[in-house]
Amino acid sequence: MPDSDLLSVEVTVIDERTAMVAVRGELDTDTGIALHHQLANQLAHGRRYLVLDLREVPFMDSSGLNVIIRAHNDTRQVGGSVYLAAVSPTVRRLLDLTGISFTTPVRDTPEEALFELAAASLPEPPPPS
């Protein structure tokens, strides 16, 4: 069984500019490339807001971190962003130690991240007259 089979990526398109990406399995040197390709594909199709549901990622190494950093940089170049959601305590510690949690929003649930994205796209209310 190839190592890439140890990672499962399921994409749900929320709208023309937003996708939720559920990742299952260890995110490391052997599997990070598969996730990177999935994220790059979403950007190629116009999705500039990505929510990564990491609830089923028990382990992540520097290669996984690199995929997240690249996605963060790539989405920023097109005026978008990446949100990380439902990270395990082990992965959260890694994100905190490396500073990624300070540059990439981390939310408790994918729904919370999607709600925040939706709220950010609402027009500003007119100033009081």
Side-chain angles (χ1 to χ4, degrees):
M1 174 158 93
D3 288 332
S4 62
D5 289 343
L6 301 175
L7 186 77
S8 167
V9 179
E10 182 179 320
V11 176
T12 303
V13 176
I14 304 301
D15 60 36
E16 68 277 353
R17 58 190 191 105
T18 308
M20 184 168 59
V21 181
V23 183
R24 291 176 189 87
E26 295 187 357
L27 193 47
D28 56 25
T29 303
D30 295 326
T31 60
I33 293 170
L35 178 58
H36 170 70
H37 287 303
Q38 289 284 344
L39 299 177
N41 185 47
Q42 291 309 306
L43 286 169
H45 284 90
R47 260 97 48 207
R48 59 183 197 236
Y49 298 101
L50 304 174
V51 174
L52 304 183
D53 180 350
L54 302 177
R55 78 181 76 223
E56 293 189 45
V57 176
F59 172 82
M60 181 186 304
D61 69 7
S62 61
S63 297
L65 292 172
N66 188 44
V67 171
I68 290 171
I69 292 167
R70 284 182 71 180
H72 171 80
N73 292 338
D74 291 347
T75 57
R76 297 281 296 204
Q77 287 181 352
V78 294
S81 60
V82 171
Y83 280 72
L84 307 177
V87 298
S88 70
T90 303
V91 172
R92 178 61 191 240
R93 180 163 163 70
L94 181 62
L95 295 172
D96 289 346
L97 286 171
T98 58
I100 291 175
S101 61
F102 299 109
T103 59
T104 304
V106 181
R107 299 296 176 256
D108 291 336
T109 66
E111 294 78 17
E112 184 181 333
L114 290 169
F115 180 80
E116 194 170 314
L117 280 169
S121 67
L122 292 174
E124 291 286 323
S129 19

